[in-house]
Amino acid sequence: MRVLVVEDYALLTETIGKGLRLEGMAVDLAFDGDQALDRLAVNRYDVVVLDRDLPGTHGDEVCRRIVTDHQSSRVLMLTASGTLQDRIEGLSLGADDYLPKPFEFPELVARIRALARRPTTLVPPVLRSGDLMVDSAMRVAVRGGRRLDLSPKEFGVLECLLAAGTRPVPAEELLERVWDEAANPFTTTVKTTVRRLRAKLGNPPIVQTVREGGYRISTP
């Protein structure tokens, strides 16, 4: 899951980003509306956590642009005001959910995960292939009755491959979906992570390398 956090209070933004990364998410940060639009122009996000009162381009306008230009991104709007009218206005702009400040971090995580389970192409919360099962909500992966001890990036790669079905997923797409903008596209990060994932999945091997296509889960 890739998330963009847009908030002008830098300490809060960085704290949210750090916490979400510990939850296994790939997170980019923006500190005003203009930075948010720049990142949205080049990256695809599952969820945008958007403060409404932003310097530069106002959060309301950022929300409108996301709805217009980035149909697959879900918007969780934040604001210091939690009145009913504010919630109505935020949702009427196209936001998918609304969370007043101050908020509890576990609730923020739960809302982000709930929004990410509602993409344009519906992906079920539990993914299966043969004896392999991945529960995205509980962050649990099991094969042959054995729970797998996966790192956040290994889990993210496995989740992406299962969600893609039989479609090969290019390494560039995995880098975009599982890592964040700090990732170096010229490293062997994806290949190394896939190698570790294969070892943990055990035999028979189920992650196939598709020449000039990327990776996919082999069907039983």
Side-chain angles (χ1 to χ4, degrees):
M1 184 193 313
R2 190 164 185 178
V3 179
L4 175 63
V5 178
V6 190
E7 161 67 56
D8 63 316
Y9 182 31
L11 180 59
L12 176 60
T13 310
E14 291 165 357
T15 300
I16 292 173
K18 181 178 179 180
L20 295 180
R21 291 184 184 112
L22 290 174
E23 292 290 331
M25 303 180 196
V27 185
D28 295 340
L29 308 178
F31 301 96
D32 59 45
D34 297 334
Q35 287 184 358
L37 292 176
D38 288 343
R39 282 160 175 71
L40 286 161
V42 296
N43 298 312
R44 182 163 59 99
Y45 297 98
D46 298 291
V47 178
V48 179
V49 180
L50 178 66
D51 183 38
R52 189 172 183 187
D53 299 312
L54 291 172
T57 303
H58 194 273
D60 288 357
E61 178 59 25
V62 174
C63 185
R64 291 190 190 96
R65 297 276 289 275
I66 291 172
V67 172
T68 302
D69 303 329
H70 305 275
Q71 297 294 333
S72 64
S73 297
R74 303 297 183 179
V75 178
L76 173 57
M77 186 169 280
L78 305 177
T79 183
S81 178
T83 67
L84 175 60
Q85 184 59 36
D86 283 319
R87 292 197 296 272
I88 292 172
E89 290 177 1
L91 294 171
S92 67
L93 291 168
D96 298 280
D97 199 358
Y98 191 97
L99 186 61
K101 302 175 187 176
F103 52 82
E104 296 294 331
F105 185 73
E107 182 180 6
L108 175 67
V109 173
R111 287 175 180 262
I112 290 173
R113 292 204 190 283
L115 288 178
R117 291 196 296 270
R118 291 158 42 191
T120 303
T121 302
L122 185 62
V123 176
V126 177
L127 301 163
R128 300 179 186 274
S129 178
D131 63 351
L132 175 64
M133 184 278 294
V134 169
D135 187 324
S136 299
M138 299 301 294
R139 312 299 291 171
V140 171
V142 176
R143 187 179 188 196
R146 175 176 60 91
R147 182 163 176 167
L148 306 175
D149 182 18
L150 303 181
S151 72
K153 299 306 182 189
E154 292 162 358
F155 188 96
V157 168
L158 180 59
E159 188 177 29
C160 282
L161 294 179
L162 279 172
T166 59
R167 176 181 68 86
V169 182
E172 294 81 6
E173 182 177 338
L174 289 173
L175 193 67
E176 176 185 329
R177 304 291 293 166
V178 181
W179 282 262
D180 55 33
E181 63 185 359
N184 184 343
F186 301 105
T187 65
T188 59
T189 298
V190 173
K191 184 182 294 185
T192 300
T193 303
V194 169
R195 183 174 66 246
R196 292 199 304 261
L197 176 61
R198 280 176 169 147
K200 292 181 179 181
L201 286 169
N203 291 315
I206 58 171
V207 178
Q208 293 181 334
T209 299
V210 180
R211 186 172 181 178
E212 299 181 358
Y215 305 93
R216 69 180 171 196
I217 299 293
S218 59
T219 54

Short mmCIF file of all heavy atoms in Angstrom, two decimals, residues 21-25 127 132-136 138-143 146-162 178 192-202 206-207 217:
data_model
loop_
_atom_site.label_atom_id
_atom_site.label_comp_id
_atom_site.label_asym_id
_atom_site.label_seq_id
_atom_site.Cartn_x
_atom_site.Cartn_y
_atom_site.Cartn_z
N ARG A 21 4.93 3.77 8.24
CA ARG A 21 5.98 2.88 7.71
C ARG A 21 6.17 1.67 8.62
O ARG A 21 6.41 0.57 8.15
CB ARG A 21 7.28 3.66 7.55
CG ARG A 21 7.23 4.70 6.43
CD ARG A 21 8.57 5.40 6.24
NE ARG A 21 8.45 6.44 5.22
CZ ARG A 21 8.54 7.75 5.46
NH1 ARG A 21 8.77 8.17 6.70
NH2 ARG A 21 8.40 8.62 4.50
N LEU A 22 6.06 1.89 9.94
CA LEU A 22 6.15 0.77 10.86
C LEU A 22 4.98 -0.20 10.69
O LEU A 22 5.08 -1.37 11.06
CB LEU A 22 6.20 1.28 12.31
CG LEU A 22 7.48 2.00 12.72
CD1 LEU A 22 7.34 2.59 14.12
CD2 LEU A 22 8.69 1.07 12.66
N GLU A 23 3.88 0.30 10.11
CA GLU A 23 2.72 -0.56 9.83
C GLU A 23 2.85 -1.25 8.48
O GLU A 23 1.92 -1.92 8.02
CB GLU A 23 1.44 0.28 9.84
CG GLU A 23 1.06 0.81 11.20
CD GLU A 23 0.59 -0.28 12.15
OE1 GLU A 23 0.05 -1.28 11.66
OE2 GLU A 23 0.78 -0.12 13.37
N GLY A 24 4.00 -1.08 7.82
CA GLY A 24 4.25 -1.79 6.57
C GLY A 24 3.83 -1.04 5.33
O GLY A 24 3.78 -1.62 4.24
N MET A 25 3.52 0.26 5.45
CA MET A 25 3.09 1.04 4.29
C MET A 25 4.26 1.81 3.69
O MET A 25 5.21 2.17 4.38
CB MET A 25 2.00 2.04 4.71
CG MET A 25 0.79 1.40 5.35
SD MET A 25 -0.46 2.64 5.81
CE MET A 25 -1.48 1.67 6.94
N LEU A 127 -6.53 -12.95 0.25
CA LEU A 127 -6.09 -13.41 -1.06
C LEU A 127 -5.59 -14.85 -0.94
O LEU A 127 -4.86 -15.18 0.01
CB LEU A 127 -4.98 -12.50 -1.60
CG LEU A 127 -5.36 -11.03 -1.77
CD1 LEU A 127 -4.11 -10.17 -1.89
CD2 LEU A 127 -6.24 -10.84 -2.98
N LEU A 132 -1.60 -21.14 -0.29
CA LEU A 132 -1.12 -19.86 0.21
C LEU A 132 -2.30 -18.93 0.49
O LEU A 132 -3.21 -18.80 -0.33
CB LEU A 132 -0.20 -19.21 -0.83
CG LEU A 132 0.31 -17.80 -0.53
CD1 LEU A 132 1.20 -17.79 0.72
CD2 LEU A 132 1.09 -17.26 -1.73
N MET A 133 -2.28 -18.28 1.67
CA MET A 133 -3.32 -17.35 2.06
C MET A 133 -2.68 -16.10 2.64
O MET A 133 -1.77 -16.18 3.47
CB MET A 133 -4.26 -17.97 3.09
CG MET A 133 -5.44 -17.09 3.50
SD MET A 133 -5.05 -15.82 4.77
CE MET A 133 -4.66 -16.85 6.19
N VAL A 134 -3.14 -14.93 2.18
CA VAL A 134 -2.68 -13.65 2.71
C VAL A 134 -3.88 -12.86 3.19
O VAL A 134 -4.81 -12.59 2.41
CB VAL A 134 -1.90 -12.85 1.65
CG1 VAL A 134 -1.67 -11.42 2.12
CG2 VAL A 134 -0.56 -13.52 1.36
N ASP A 135 -3.88 -12.48 4.46
CA ASP A 135 -4.93 -11.64 5.04
C ASP A 135 -4.36 -10.23 5.16
O ASP A 135 -3.54 -9.95 6.04
CB ASP A 135 -5.33 -12.18 6.42
CG ASP A 135 -6.54 -11.44 7.01
OD1 ASP A 135 -6.63 -10.22 6.80
OD2 ASP A 135 -7.36 -12.08 7.68
N SER A 136 -4.79 -9.34 4.25
CA SER A 136 -4.23 -7.99 4.20
C SER A 136 -4.57 -7.18 5.44
O SER A 136 -3.76 -6.35 5.88
CB SER A 136 -4.74 -7.26 2.96
OG SER A 136 -4.33 -7.93 1.78
N MET A 138 -5.19 -8.30 8.61
CA MET A 138 -4.48 -8.79 9.79
C MET A 138 -2.98 -8.87 9.58
O MET A 138 -2.24 -9.14 10.52
CB MET A 138 -5.01 -10.18 10.17
CG MET A 138 -6.50 -10.21 10.52
SD MET A 138 -6.91 -9.14 11.91
CE MET A 138 -6.03 -9.96 13.24
N ARG A 139 -2.53 -8.64 8.34
CA ARG A 139 -1.10 -8.70 8.00
C ARG A 139 -0.53 -10.08 8.31
O ARG A 139 0.53 -10.23 8.94
CB ARG A 139 -0.28 -7.61 8.74
CG ARG A 139 -0.87 -6.22 8.66
CD ARG A 139 -0.97 -5.72 7.24
NE ARG A 139 0.30 -5.43 6.62
CZ ARG A 139 0.45 -5.13 5.34
NH1 ARG A 139 -0.59 -5.12 4.54
NH2 ARG A 139 1.64 -4.86 4.84
N VAL A 140 -1.25 -11.09 7.86
CA VAL A 140 -0.86 -12.48 8.12
C VAL A 140 -0.75 -13.21 6.78
O VAL A 140 -1.62 -13.08 5.92
CB VAL A 140 -1.89 -13.20 9.02
CG1 VAL A 140 -1.59 -14.69 9.10
CG2 VAL A 140 -1.89 -12.59 10.41
N ALA A 141 0.33 -13.98 6.61
CA ALA A 141 0.52 -14.83 5.44
C ALA A 141 0.76 -16.26 5.92
O ALA A 141 1.58 -16.48 6.82
CB ALA A 141 1.70 -14.34 4.59
N VAL A 142 0.04 -17.21 5.32
CA VAL A 142 0.13 -18.61 5.73
C VAL A 142 0.28 -19.47 4.49
O VAL A 142 -0.43 -19.26 3.49
CB VAL A 142 -1.12 -19.05 6.52
CG1 VAL A 142 -1.05 -20.53 6.85
CG2 VAL A 142 -1.28 -18.22 7.78
N ARG A 143 1.20 -20.43 4.53
CA ARG A 143 1.30 -21.41 3.44
C ARG A 143 1.35 -22.81 4.02
O ARG A 143 2.19 -23.11 4.88
CB ARG A 143 2.53 -21.17 2.58
CG ARG A 143 2.51 -22.10 1.34
CD ARG A 143 3.66 -21.93 0.41
NE ARG A 143 3.41 -22.72 -0.80
CZ ARG A 143 4.33 -23.05 -1.69
NH1 ARG A 143 5.57 -22.59 -1.56
NH2 ARG A 143 4.02 -23.77 -2.74
N ARG A 146 1.39 -23.13 7.68
CA ARG A 146 2.54 -22.55 8.38
C ARG A 146 2.53 -21.03 8.22
O ARG A 146 2.53 -20.53 7.11
CB ARG A 146 3.83 -23.14 7.81
CG ARG A 146 5.11 -22.53 8.38
CD ARG A 146 6.33 -23.25 7.81
NE ARG A 146 6.41 -23.14 6.37
CZ ARG A 146 7.05 -22.16 5.73
NH1 ARG A 146 7.67 -21.20 6.41
NH2 ARG A 146 7.09 -22.16 4.40
N ARG A 147 2.52 -20.33 9.33
CA ARG A 147 2.54 -18.87 9.29
C ARG A 147 3.93 -18.39 8.87
O ARG A 147 4.94 -18.84 9.42
CB ARG A 147 2.15 -18.27 10.62
CG ARG A 147 2.11 -16.75 10.64
CD ARG A 147 1.35 -16.22 11.82
NE ARG A 147 1.38 -14.78 11.88
CZ ARG A 147 0.59 -14.05 12.67
NH1 ARG A 147 -0.30 -14.66 13.45
NH2 ARG A 147 0.67 -12.73 12.67
N LEU A 148 3.98 -17.48 7.91
CA LEU A 148 5.25 -16.99 7.37
C LEU A 148 5.70 -15.75 8.11
O LEU A 148 4.91 -14.84 8.36
CB LEU A 148 5.09 -16.68 5.88
CG LEU A 148 4.55 -17.82 5.01
CD1 LEU A 148 4.34 -17.34 3.58
CD2 LEU A 148 5.51 -19.01 5.04
N ASP A 149 6.97 -15.72 8.44
CA ASP A 149 7.57 -14.57 9.12
C ASP A 149 8.15 -13.64 8.06
O ASP A 149 9.31 -13.75 7.68
CB ASP A 149 8.66 -15.03 10.09
CG ASP A 149 9.28 -13.88 10.86
OD1 ASP A 149 8.66 -12.79 10.92
OD2 ASP A 149 10.40 -14.05 11.40
N LEU A 150 7.32 -12.72 7.56
CA LEU A 150 7.71 -11.84 6.45
C LEU A 150 7.98 -10.42 6.95
O LEU A 150 7.29 -9.93 7.85
CB LEU A 150 6.61 -11.79 5.39
CG LEU A 150 6.17 -13.12 4.77
CD1 LEU A 150 5.09 -12.87 3.73
CD2 LEU A 150 7.36 -13.86 4.16
N SER A 151 8.96 -9.78 6.33
CA SER A 151 9.19 -8.36 6.59
C SER A 151 8.07 -7.55 5.93
O SER A 151 7.35 -8.07 5.06
CB SER A 151 10.54 -7.93 6.02
OG SER A 151 10.49 -7.89 4.61
N PRO A 152 7.89 -6.28 6.30
CA PRO A 152 6.84 -5.47 5.65
C PRO A 152 6.97 -5.42 4.13
O PRO A 152 5.97 -5.48 3.42
CB PRO A 152 7.03 -4.09 6.28
CG PRO A 152 7.59 -4.38 7.64
CD PRO A 152 8.50 -5.56 7.44
N LYS A 153 8.21 -5.32 3.62
CA LYS A 153 8.38 -5.25 2.16
C LYS A 153 8.10 -6.59 1.50
O LYS A 153 7.50 -6.65 0.42
CB LYS A 153 9.81 -4.79 1.81
CG LYS A 153 10.16 -3.40 2.34
CD LYS A 153 9.14 -2.35 1.90
CE LYS A 153 9.53 -0.97 2.39
NZ LYS A 153 8.47 0.03 2.17
N GLU A 154 8.51 -7.69 2.14
CA GLU A 154 8.22 -9.01 1.59
C GLU A 154 6.70 -9.25 1.56
O GLU A 154 6.17 -9.77 0.58
CB GLU A 154 8.90 -10.09 2.44
CG GLU A 154 10.42 -10.07 2.33
CD GLU A 154 11.11 -10.80 3.45
OE1 GLU A 154 10.42 -11.30 4.37
OE2 GLU A 154 12.35 -10.87 3.45
N PHE A 155 6.02 -8.84 2.63
CA PHE A 155 4.56 -8.98 2.65
C PHE A 155 3.93 -8.14 1.56
O PHE A 155 3.01 -8.59 0.86
CB PHE A 155 4.03 -8.55 4.03
CG PHE A 155 2.56 -8.84 4.23
CD1 PHE A 155 2.17 -10.00 4.88
CD2 PHE A 155 1.59 -7.97 3.77
CE1 PHE A 155 0.81 -10.29 5.06
CE2 PHE A 155 0.25 -8.24 3.94
CZ PHE A 155 -0.14 -9.40 4.59
N GLY A 156 4.41 -6.91 1.38
CA GLY A 156 3.86 -6.03 0.35
C GLY A 156 4.03 -6.59 -1.04
O GLY A 156 3.11 -6.51 -1.87
N VAL A 157 5.20 -7.16 -1.33
CA VAL A 157 5.43 -7.76 -2.65
C VAL A 157 4.50 -8.95 -2.86
O VAL A 157 3.87 -9.09 -3.92
CB VAL A 157 6.91 -8.20 -2.79
CG1 VAL A 157 7.10 -9.09 -4.02
CG2 VAL A 157 7.82 -6.98 -2.89
N LEU A 158 4.38 -9.80 -1.86
CA LEU A 158 3.50 -10.97 -1.98
C LEU A 158 2.05 -10.53 -2.19
O LEU A 158 1.33 -11.10 -3.02
CB LEU A 158 3.62 -11.83 -0.72
CG LEU A 158 2.76 -13.10 -0.68
CD1 LEU A 158 3.10 -14.02 -1.85
CD2 LEU A 158 2.95 -13.83 0.65
N GLU A 159 1.62 -9.53 -1.46
CA GLU A 159 0.26 -9.01 -1.59
C GLU A 159 0.00 -8.50 -3.00
O GLU A 159 -1.03 -8.78 -3.61
CB GLU A 159 0.06 -7.90 -0.56
CG GLU A 159 -1.35 -7.38 -0.42
CD GLU A 159 -1.44 -6.33 0.67
OE1 GLU A 159 -0.43 -5.63 0.92
OE2 GLU A 159 -2.52 -6.19 1.25
N CYS A 160 0.96 -7.75 -3.55
CA CYS A 160 0.82 -7.21 -4.91
C CYS A 160 0.75 -8.32 -5.94
O CYS A 160 -0.07 -8.28 -6.87
CB CYS A 160 1.99 -6.28 -5.24
SG CYS A 160 1.86 -4.64 -4.51
N LEU A 161 1.59 -9.33 -5.79
CA LEU A 161 1.60 -10.43 -6.76
C LEU A 161 0.29 -11.22 -6.71
O LEU A 161 -0.27 -11.57 -7.75
CB LEU A 161 2.79 -11.36 -6.48
CG LEU A 161 4.18 -10.76 -6.69
CD1 LEU A 161 5.26 -11.79 -6.35
CD2 LEU A 161 4.36 -10.26 -8.12
N LEU A 162 -0.22 -11.49 -5.52
CA LEU A 162 -1.47 -12.22 -5.41
C LEU A 162 -2.64 -11.40 -5.96
O LEU A 162 -3.53 -11.94 -6.64
CB LEU A 162 -1.74 -12.58 -3.95
CG LEU A 162 -1.02 -13.82 -3.41
CD1 LEU A 162 -1.21 -13.93 -1.91
CD2 LEU A 162 -1.51 -15.08 -4.10
N VAL A 178 5.27 -0.76 -3.38
CA VAL A 178 5.67 -1.26 -2.07
C VAL A 178 6.66 -0.34 -1.37
O VAL A 178 6.67 -0.24 -0.14
CB VAL A 178 6.26 -2.68 -2.21
CG1 VAL A 178 6.68 -3.24 -0.85
CG2 VAL A 178 5.25 -3.61 -2.87
N THR A 192 16.28 -8.59 -4.68
CA THR A 192 16.72 -9.12 -3.39
C THR A 192 15.53 -9.50 -2.52
O THR A 192 15.53 -10.56 -1.87
CB THR A 192 17.59 -8.08 -2.66
OG1 THR A 192 18.73 -7.76 -3.47
CG2 THR A 192 18.06 -8.62 -1.32
N THR A 193 14.51 -8.65 -2.50
CA THR A 193 13.32 -8.93 -1.69
C THR A 193 12.59 -10.16 -2.20
O THR A 193 12.13 -11.00 -1.42
CB THR A 193 12.38 -7.71 -1.68
OG1 THR A 193 13.10 -6.56 -1.18
CG2 THR A 193 11.17 -7.96 -0.80
N VAL A 194 12.46 -10.30 -3.52
CA VAL A 194 11.81 -11.46 -4.11
C VAL A 194 12.59 -12.73 -3.77
O VAL A 194 12.00 -13.78 -3.46
CB VAL A 194 11.65 -11.30 -5.64
CG1 VAL A 194 11.22 -12.62 -6.28
CG2 VAL A 194 10.65 -10.20 -5.96
N ARG A 195 13.92 -12.65 -3.80
CA ARG A 195 14.73 -13.82 -3.47
C ARG A 195 14.48 -14.26 -2.02
O ARG A 195 14.31 -15.46 -1.73
CB ARG A 195 16.21 -13.51 -3.68
CG ARG A 195 17.11 -14.73 -3.43
CD ARG A 195 18.56 -14.47 -3.77
NE ARG A 195 19.14 -13.47 -2.88
CZ ARG A 195 19.54 -12.26 -3.26
NH1 ARG A 195 19.42 -11.89 -4.52
NH2 ARG A 195 20.07 -11.42 -2.38
N ARG A 196 14.43 -13.30 -1.08
CA ARG A 196 14.15 -13.64 0.31
C ARG A 196 12.74 -14.19 0.47
O ARG A 196 12.50 -15.13 1.25
CB ARG A 196 14.34 -12.41 1.21
CG ARG A 196 15.80 -11.94 1.33
CD ARG A 196 15.97 -11.06 2.55
NE ARG A 196 15.04 -9.93 2.52
CZ ARG A 196 15.35 -8.71 2.12
NH1 ARG A 196 16.59 -8.47 1.69
NH2 ARG A 196 14.47 -7.74 2.13
N LEU A 197 11.80 -13.62 -0.25
CA LEU A 197 10.41 -14.07 -0.19
C LEU A 197 10.30 -15.51 -0.67
O LEU A 197 9.61 -16.34 -0.04
CB LEU A 197 9.52 -13.15 -1.02
CG LEU A 197 8.04 -13.54 -1.14
CD1 LEU A 197 7.38 -13.56 0.22
CD2 LEU A 197 7.32 -12.58 -2.08
N ARG A 198 10.95 -15.82 -1.77
CA ARG A 198 10.92 -17.20 -2.30
C ARG A 198 11.43 -18.19 -1.25
O ARG A 198 10.86 -19.27 -1.07
CB ARG A 198 11.77 -17.28 -3.56
CG ARG A 198 11.08 -16.76 -4.82
CD ARG A 198 12.02 -16.79 -5.98
NE ARG A 198 11.33 -16.56 -7.24
CZ ARG A 198 11.86 -15.92 -8.27
NH1 ARG A 198 13.11 -15.46 -8.19
NH2 ARG A 198 11.17 -15.75 -9.38
N ALA A 199 12.52 -17.82 -0.58
CA ALA A 199 13.10 -18.71 0.42
C ALA A 199 12.12 -18.96 1.57
O ALA A 199 11.99 -20.09 2.06
CB ALA A 199 14.40 -18.13 0.95
N LYS A 200 11.40 -17.93 1.97
CA LYS A 200 10.46 -18.08 3.08
C LYS A 200 9.20 -18.82 2.68
O LYS A 200 8.57 -19.49 3.50
CB LYS A 200 10.12 -16.71 3.66
CG LYS A 200 11.29 -16.03 4.36
CD LYS A 200 10.91 -14.68 4.95
CE LYS A 200 12.10 -14.05 5.66
NZ LYS A 200 11.75 -12.74 6.27
N LEU A 201 8.81 -18.72 1.40
CA LEU A 201 7.62 -19.43 0.92
C LEU A 201 7.86 -20.93 0.82
O LEU A 201 6.93 -21.72 0.90
CB LEU A 201 7.20 -18.88 -0.45
CG LEU A 201 6.53 -17.51 -0.43
CD1 LEU A 201 6.40 -16.96 -1.86
CD2 LEU A 201 5.15 -17.58 0.23
N GLY A 202 9.10 -21.32 0.63
CA GLY A 202 9.43 -22.73 0.59
C GLY A 202 9.06 -23.41 -0.72
O GLY A 202 8.79 -22.75 -1.73
N ILE A 206 6.61 -20.94 -6.00
CA ILE A 206 5.38 -20.41 -6.61
C ILE A 206 5.55 -19.01 -7.19
O ILE A 206 4.66 -18.53 -7.91
CB ILE A 206 4.19 -20.40 -5.63
CG1 ILE A 206 4.54 -19.57 -4.39
CG2 ILE A 206 3.79 -21.80 -5.24
CD1 ILE A 206 3.33 -19.35 -3.49
N VAL A 207 6.68 -18.35 -6.91
CA VAL A 207 6.91 -17.02 -7.50
C VAL A 207 7.73 -17.21 -8.77
O VAL A 207 8.91 -17.61 -8.70
CB VAL A 207 7.63 -16.08 -6.53
CG1 VAL A 207 7.91 -14.73 -7.20
CG2 VAL A 207 6.81 -15.88 -5.27
N ILE A 217 2.59 -15.02 -9.38
CA ILE A 217 2.35 -16.24 -8.61
C ILE A 217 1.87 -17.32 -9.56
O ILE A 217 0.92 -17.11 -10.34
CB ILE A 217 1.30 -16.00 -7.51
CG1 ILE A 217 1.78 -14.93 -6.52
CG2 ILE A 217 0.98 -17.30 -6.79
CD1 ILE A 217 2.97 -15.34 -5.68
#
